Amino acid sequence: MPDLPHSAPTDTQAALPPLALLIAAPRGFCAGVDRAIQIVELAIAKHGAPVYVRHEIVHNKYVVDSLKAKGAVFVEELDEVPDGVPVVFSAHGVPKSVPADAAARGLYYLDATCPLVSKVHRQAERLVEAGRHILFVGHGGHPEVIGTFGQVPDGGMTLIETAADAERVAPADPDNLAFLTQTTLSVDDTAEVIAILRARFPAIQAPRGEDICYATSNRQAAVKAIGAACDAMLVIGAPNSSNSLRLVEVAERGGTKARLIQRAAEIDFDWLAGVRTLGITAGASAPEVLVREVVDHLATRFTVEEREAESVRETMVFKLPRSLETA
Ligand code: SF4
């Protein structure tokens, strides 16, 4: 007769099929998101509720709802902000006209634009001042792209969304170009687009450093690192979160089926049929509490065994605006 295991599974555990969870790291909040949320919380602590926020501070409903509960009011445009209350601009950045309009109205505003987005803004300004036309690689309609286009006069930038756009674009002065990119793009797609631009316009000026931010690159690399070992991947993030959508694409391109979910309730257990190892990651605007919620929900149907696969350790922290440092 075989030896019995030291701790025999309970009846409930024995009935649940096994599921190995491979949890990517880094995942979830980046330094820019962390700073933006802190700015809203500290503004409420210092000035009292309500504090208005123009656009979702970061693209995550859970975060937005938590801040609403603390006294934040989210609006899309500045003219929805009443006189006399503080207003915060989101992490994605805003066109120059927005702080100018706030100042003209005498509004007290705090800018939660991620410093890495602000860096792209300053580069755009300088390039246009130097007489260069910018080919901007990004996704039309995303608030970060709207904010960056709003740093330069109309006509100063042309949007390049795809490799086909890069093949087609016909600038007036091909010898006087520069390119910049959105911070949350796919590293691989962007490399392809930039290679086309460099081949077509050998004199094009590149940004000083990489515009795709460290958090976006690290989260994509972490997904690539675990992809081959996973039968499927869940990405926790919002449908309007650019970096979360890119994580789904990275997993799928590596041959792993992937789904974006916002909360545990969206897990489709039929989709998990036959999956023995499930990868889990979270976009830069998704809090860790949602990762735990997903793991706990999976544990109601499976005997889960968790393992974290860390590809790089992040230590980035961004300074708060001086006016809030003592709040
Ligand atoms: Fe900043 Fe990158 Fe985070 Fe966007 S994803 S807030 S650019 S660190």
Side-chain angles (χ1 to χ4, degrees):
M1 190 189 211
D3 287 337
L4 285 171
H6 289 302
S7 64
T10 63
D11 286 350
T12 320
Q13 281 173 329
L16 298 177
L19 181 66
L21 302 180
L22 204 44
I23 305 185
R27 63 177 177 276
F29 276 8
C30 60
V33 162
D34 213 31
R35 173 178 179 270
I37 294 168
Q38 276 193 64
I39 288 175
V40 178
E41 288 175 342
L42 291 172
I44 294 169
K46 184 171 177 181
H47 303 286
V51 164
Y52 276 63
V53 184
R54 184 189 175 280
H55 193 67
E56 287 186 340
I57 185 76
V58 299
H59 286 156
N60 189 278
K61 187 175 173 335
Y62 180 91
V63 171
V64 167
D65 287 346
S66 311
L67 291 172
K68 274 184 191 168
K70 292 176 182 171
V73 177
F74 290 86
V75 295
E76 278 310 307
E77 295 301 338
L78 203 59
D79 56 19
E80 298 167 65
V81 179
D83 288 335
V85 294
V87 58
V88 180
F89 304 144
S90 80
H92 314 95
V94 289
K96 270 186 174 177
S97 56
V98 172
D101 291 349
R105 279 183 55 194
L107 289 176
Y108 174 70
Y109 66 85
L110 287 155
D111 189 356
T113 302
C114 175
L116 299 181
V117 174
S118 299
K119 190 186 85 180
V120 179
H121 288 181
R122 299 291 75 77
Q123 288 187 86
E125 265 186 319
R126 278 199 293 270
L127 288 166
V128 168
E129 275 163 23
R132 289 193 182 257
H133 182 79
I134 299 168
L135 301 181
F136 188 81
V137 186
H139 297 293
H142 189 277
E144 182 186 329
V145 177
I146 294 168
T148 304
F149 268 66
Q151 304 303 309
V152 301
D154 283 353
M157 277 194 207
T158 301
L159 183 64
I160 306 290
E161 292 191 89
T162 60
D165 289 349
E167 298 279 12
R168 257 194 316 258
V169 67
D173 184 358
D175 293 327
N176 210 11
L177 296 174
F179 73 83
L180 295 173
T181 84
Q182 192 177 333
T183 56
T184 50
L185 298 180
S186 149
V187 172
D188 295 337
D189 284 352
T190 308
E192 184 192 346
V193 169
I194 290 171
I196 295 168
L197 294 177
R198 284 187 191 275
R200 289 194 61 212
F201 310 112
I204 197 165
Q205 184 174 319
R208 276 201 210 118
E210 177 67 69
D211 285 338
I212 295 177
C213 78
Y214 80 97
T216 297
S217 314
N218 287 348
R219 279 150 191 68
Q220 289 177 20
V223 164
K224 282 184 189 170
I226 63 169
C230 300
D231 304 310
M233 180 99 57
L234 286 177
V235 177
I236 301 163
N240 57 344
S241 159
S242 173
N243 78 86
S244 304
L245 293 170
R246 304 292 82 78
L247 293 176
V248 174
E249 290 171 3
V250 167
E252 287 176 338
R253 276 192 206 158
T256 309
K257 69 174 186 173
R259 282 234 173 133
L260 183 73
I261 57 167
Q262 300 201 68
R263 297 292 298 260
E266 292 174 22
I267 295 172
D268 175 355
F269 286 99
D270 292 340
W271 183 77
L272 290 177
V275 172
R276 301 177 70 88
T277 302
L278 177 66
I280 297 181
T281 187
S285 40
E288 184 65 14
V289 63
L290 298 185
V291 177
R292 297 322 312 166
E293 182 189 87
V294 164
V295 172
D296 290 348
H297 195 47
L298 289 166
T300 63
R301 301 283 194 100
F302 298 96
T303 302
V304 297
E305 188 191 321
E306 281 183 60
R307 189 160 69 81
E308 184 172 80
E310 186 174 62
S311 55
V312 68
R313 183 146 299 175
E314 289 181 347
T315 53
M316 188 78 84
V317 179
F318 295 135
K319 282 181 76 174
L320 289 166
R322 202 166 295 160
S323 61
L324 289 178
E325 273 173 356
T326 53

